[in-house]
Amino acid sequence: MKILEERIEKDGRILGTNVLKVDSFLNHQVDPDLMMQLGEEFYRRFKDQNITKILTVESSGIAPAVAAGLQFHVPVVFARKHKSLTLKDNLYTSTVYSYTKQTSNEIAISHRFLNDNDRVLVIDDFLANGQAVEGLMDIINQAGATLCGVGIVIEKSFQKGRQLLDERGVHVESLARIKAFEDGKIVFGPDEYEQNH
Ligand code: 5GP
């Protein structure tokens, strides 16, 4: 998606060898107009799937997930990372290793918000090694719901998440795909694995 790639080029910052900081428009400060455009694009790509629910993980997936929910007119559920007094029983849970924080978190969704009639679209801000999406897939399985697709704002195609999901036959749509960070520059496009399959 050209407008997203341009924004990443303009405002994204590369940290170390493989982390992209996009906190000025996606996951700290949020650009709502851009979010709406992302939501429309997710809708265009998944509108034939009879989606009944959108799932994401707090907190950075919430903005694009709600933007997509506005287009599909379905509820958006975000997995919580911290149990609270109001969220402790009747939960689906899974353990997710956080790529950026390098710690494991338990994520949880209440039984009330996901069931075996649901056709689910998973949305997240980044796809790196696929751990967050795998945790949500685990929860979708526990609920007996159907995973219809995964929508990602920024895929880092040089990490193993995309390959892992492709091997499982999951329909993944990424609005921007980064092939590499080279000499401080962002190179867009699918990686070599993708080109050969
Ligand atoms: P994965 O679970 O696919 O390994 O990583 C995805 C999660 O880690 C996303 O939900 C996102 O919050 C975080 N993440 C992974 N890579 C990056 C990155 O390059 N930049 C930022 N800001 N977050 C990332």
Side-chain angles (χ1 to χ4, degrees), residues 8-23 126 156 158 178 180-188:
I8 294 168
E9 269 179 334
K10 181 167 144 297
D11 291 333
R13 298 281 172 274
I14 299 166
L15 295 184
T17 52
N18 53 16
V19 171
L20 183 68
K21 196 168 168 164
V22 284
D23 61 355
F126 274 90
K156 293 184 293 179
F158 55 87
I178 296 176
F181 296 134
E182 264 171 28
D183 305 325
K185 285 223 156 49
I186 299 162
V187 186
F188 291 101

Side-chain angles (χ1 to χ4, degrees), residues 13 15 18-23 26-27 56-61 81 96-101 124-134 152 154 156 158-159 161-162 181:
R13 298 281 172 274
L15 295 184
N18 53 16
V19 171
L20 183 68
K21 196 168 168 164
V22 284
D23 61 355
L26 183 58
N27 52 23
T56 190
V57 184
E58 70 173 349
S59 56
S60 48
K81 286 181 181 157
V96 170
Y97 180 78
S98 162
Y99 180 72
T100 44
K101 301 199 179 84
D124 206 2
D125 61 339
F126 274 90
L127 178 63
N129 291 316
Q131 302 290 298
V133 173
E134 280 218 305
I152 298 292
I154 303 173
K156 293 184 293 179
F158 55 87
Q159 293 183 275
R162 177 60 183 244
F181 296 134

Side-chain angles (χ1 to χ4, degrees), residues 120-144:
V120 178
L121 173 62
V122 166
I123 298 275
D124 206 2
D125 61 339
F126 274 90
L127 178 63
N129 291 316
Q131 302 290 298
V133 173
E134 280 218 305
L136 289 173
M137 284 168 63
D138 180 17
I139 283 176
I140 291 165
N141 276 337
Q142 291 173 41

